[in-house]
Amino acid sequence: MTIRLGKWRIHRLFDRDAPVEVSERDGVRSLHLGTSTIQSSMKLNDPVELVLSYTRTMMGFLLFDPQPRHVVMIGLGGGSLAKFIYHRLPDARLTAVEANPRVISVARSHFHVPPDDARLQVVLAPGEQWVAGRSEPCDALLVDGYDGTTQAEGLSTEDFYMAARRCLEPEGILVVNLWSSDKRFEAYLQRIERCFEACVCLPAERRGNVVAFAFCRPPRTFRWSQLIPRAKGLQARLGLEFPRMVEALKELNPHDAKGLIFGRSGA
């Protein structure tokens, strides 16, 4: 069913009990799960561009690992991050885990998510169960598991974060999209901090989302000064605002007098 509301065109793709809706306005297509909250957005004339600022912020993990070999995503949505990684990081393999089969269907029919191949696999499974049973480690685990109103409970427990750590390589990075307005924001962040050796936060350019980067084993001698040339190189290659991310990280996260991000070196 298609509904027109002024400049908006809304496609209701499934029934009221399991609403998955796609809206369009001014050349941008967005995914909704039963509410007005936007889960994903895509420019019709550039399906790979990351439209929402929080998705660009989640790619900030490349500041710490610019050449990941295997990236896992929990929560496919409209596939914004999946498409960007697939097309812009050609040396990376990607696994996207999504619990809702209708979301997978819509991501492929309306948001240009490519079919599975040697580099991309979309898995239908609850994210927490898939992570708990995973034996092959990955370099980065990106978690963006929201329904129309809140973060999925199973993707925010301490048990899940411990399983996420076991799912990562020793130098791996957990990347979690959080809503700063959520009354449980601090509790979620504290759980992550208890399960990982180090954690830094990065606010999205548009207020509301904060991305947490948690490290199994942080690079102890990594300096802020090292991030500046890396950020400029990543911006030139991928077109994202990595230098802004470095400045925001410096403002929000403490560092010692030697300029080390994760504390003093043991050397």
Side-chain angles (χ1 to χ4, degrees), residues 40-192:
S40 297
S41 288
M42 175 188 76
K43 284 187 177 180
L44 295 176
N45 64 359
D46 188 355
V48 176
E49 180 181 342
L50 292 177
V51 176
L52 301 180
S53 64
Y54 90 86
T55 59
R56 300 195 299 273
T57 302
M58 290 185 75
M59 292 303 300
F61 80 90
L62 294 175
L63 288 166
F64 305 100
D65 182 4
Q67 295 181 318
R69 295 163 297 176
H70 185 199
V71 178
V72 172
M73 290 178 48
I74 305 298
L76 175 65
S80 299
L81 285 166
K83 288 181 297 182
F84 188 86
I85 292 169
Y86 182 81
H87 289 287
R88 303 302 299 275
L89 300 179
D91 295 327
R93 183 163 58 94
L94 174 66
T95 302
V97 182
E98 172 57 54
N100 188 336
R102 291 163 171 162
V103 168
I104 296 175
S105 176
V106 170
R108 287 194 151 135
S109 64
H110 286 70
F111 290 89
H112 301 283
V113 171
D116 287 2
D117 61 16
R119 290 185 49 240
L120 172 64
Q121 183 181 21
V122 177
V123 178
L124 174 61
E128 64 273 23
Q129 293 181 19
W130 188 91
V131 168
R134 187 66 174 166
S135 58
E136 179 190 1
C138 60
D139 300 293
L141 177 60
L142 281 56
V143 180
D144 184 24
Y146 285 84
D147 58 22
T149 58
T150 187
Q151 187 176 30
E153 186 63 30
L155 299 177
S156 56
T157 66
E158 198 157 326
D159 285 344
F160 170 74
Y161 293 132
M162 286 302 300
R165 179 168 179 170
R166 293 190 295 270
C167 187
L168 286 160
E169 294 280 5
E171 307 292 339
I173 307 171
L174 173 71
V175 184
V176 184
N177 175 39
L178 299 170
W179 287 348
S180 60
S181 59
D182 191 324
K183 63 182 180 181
R184 293 165 294 184
F185 172 82
E186 289 294 339
Y188 294 154
L189 194 57
Q190 288 170 10
R191 292 173 193 172
I192 295 170

Side-chain angles (χ1 to χ4, degrees), residues 9 38 78 95-96 106 125 128 137 146 148 154 164 196 205 214 240 246 257 260:
R9 183 172 60 177
I38 293 174
T95 302
V106 170
E128 64 273 23
Y146 285 84
F196 285 80
E205 190 170 16
L240 303 181
V246 173
L260 300 176

